[in-house]
Amino acid sequence: MVQVRTYILKPTSLIPNSPHVLIHYPGLFLDKVSTPGFNCTELYDLYKSNGWESQWVARYGPTQTSHYHSGAHEAMTVISGEGATIRFGVADTSDDVEEHTHGNGHEDGGIWVEAKKGDVFILPAGLAHKTYDPKPGPVEFAFFQCKDEDGKVIRDEKKARAFFEGVEIGDNFQMMGSYPYGNEWDFAVGGDHKGRERQVWNVPIPERDPVLGTSREGMCGLWHESPAKSKL
């Protein structure tokens, strides 16, 4: 039986967040990603079968800017490393790196989750997130995107599978990012959609959970039955 955790994050003065819950499947793929010889094509194939397109693998550095995606839902899968802290739901309010990472330089109302190897997170469009303190670390941030030389997402299956097969999976904290077909992701920060939150909340719900498909344990049961937008 799949373990499912959900979190409700209401809008803040700077972040839209979402009427849909943040979904967390702790350790769902721990056995898979710990198998000798594992490569990302196994996850690419699963997500593709459910209508989701994997686009990147990231090796996380000490911290990052709190951000959200205004036009895309996102699945993040931890494929290596011991763990990292992810703060959800609030914007950075300080330009000082130490203050917005470990101090009080952020809005109130967020949650902190310790992400572990094999975890899957499904983030609705508009949900702020910030990954920091990866273990082992510190290392320099590296972002590997499945794009061609013109900067376009590679949608040819053979070429995309070759890309993910070639991504090096080390001991550092890495996640793989996937999006529903048709969604275009951006990098929005606090205040970017102030007064236009409903535009973000109206991003269509995918037909299938990237991992569980049409099972009601996942997105299909949780997001299709989420509170009405008028209650936000």
Side-chain angles (χ1 to χ4, degrees):
M1 185 176 180
V2 177
Q3 183 181 1
V4 183
R5 296 176 183 169
T6 60
Y7 307 89
I8 298 172
L9 289 146
K10 295 182 178 181
T12 71
S13 62
L14 296 175
I15 299 294
N17 287 320
S18 177
H20 309 306
V21 295
L22 164 64
I23 303 172
H24 179 199
Y25 302 135
L28 180 62
F29 290 139
L30 179 58
D31 290 344
K32 182 184 293 292
V33 300
S34 299
T35 301
F38 165 78
N39 70 68
C40 294
T41 58
E42 297 178 47
L43 297 178
Y44 170 87
D45 290 341
L46 173 62
Y47 291 161
K48 185 177 186 297
S49 72
N50 285 312
W52 287 63
E53 181 176 63
S54 298
Q55 293 192 12
W56 54 259
V57 171
R59 183 187 68 206
Y60 284 79
T63 190
Q64 64 175 176
T65 301
S66 179
H67 63 283
Y68 62 91
H69 309 302
S70 67
H73 307 298
E74 181 176 49
M76 302 192 305
T77 305
V78 183
I79 59 174
S80 65
E82 297 173 16
T85 301
I86 308 180
R87 190 187 75 206
F88 293 101
V90 293
D92 296 333
T93 56
S94 170
D95 292 329
D96 183 89
V97 173
E98 179 63 22
E99 185 65 16
H100 67 61
T101 301
H102 299 113
N104 296 316
H106 55 78
E107 295 180 291
D108 294 330
I111 63 167
W112 286 256
V113 177
E114 293 302 312
K116 301 293 184 183
K117 187 176 181 179
D119 285 7
V120 179
F121 297 89
I122 304 176
L123 288 62
L127 182 69
H129 50 291
K130 174 192 188 78
T131 301
Y132 63 95
D133 288 352
K135 299 178 182 64
V139 295
E140 185 177 351
F141 178 79
F143 196 50
F144 309 100
Q145 297 189 75
C146 185
K147 290 186 175 182
D148 62 21
E149 58 186 15
D150 296 322
K152 296 181 179 179
V153 175
I154 297 173
R155 296 198 158 96
D156 178 87
E157 182 176 350
K158 184 176 180 179
K159 293 180 179 179
R161 293 186 86 256
F163 168 83
F164 283 107
E165 185 174 7
V167 172
E168 182 179 352
I169 301 174
D171 296 327
N172 298 114
F173 184 84
Q174 293 175 286
M175 289 199 289
M176 181 174 178
S178 308
Y179 305 88
Y181 284 104
N183 281 191
E184 297 292 338
W185 66 274
D186 57 0
F187 192 95
V189 298
D192 280 358
H193 288 79
K194 195 171 183 64
R196 297 183 293 125
E197 291 85 357
R198 290 189 181 277
Q199 173 185 324
V200 181
W201 299 337
N202 286 332
V203 173
I205 302 173
E207 294 182 3
R208 301 172 70 93
D209 183 291
V211 176
L212 302 184
T214 58
S215 170
R216 294 183 64 78
E217 289 182 278
M219 177 191 298
C220 291
L222 294 168
W223 284 12
H224 286 275
E225 298 175 2
S226 62
K229 295 179 179 64
S230 61
K231 294 182 180 180
L232 286 171

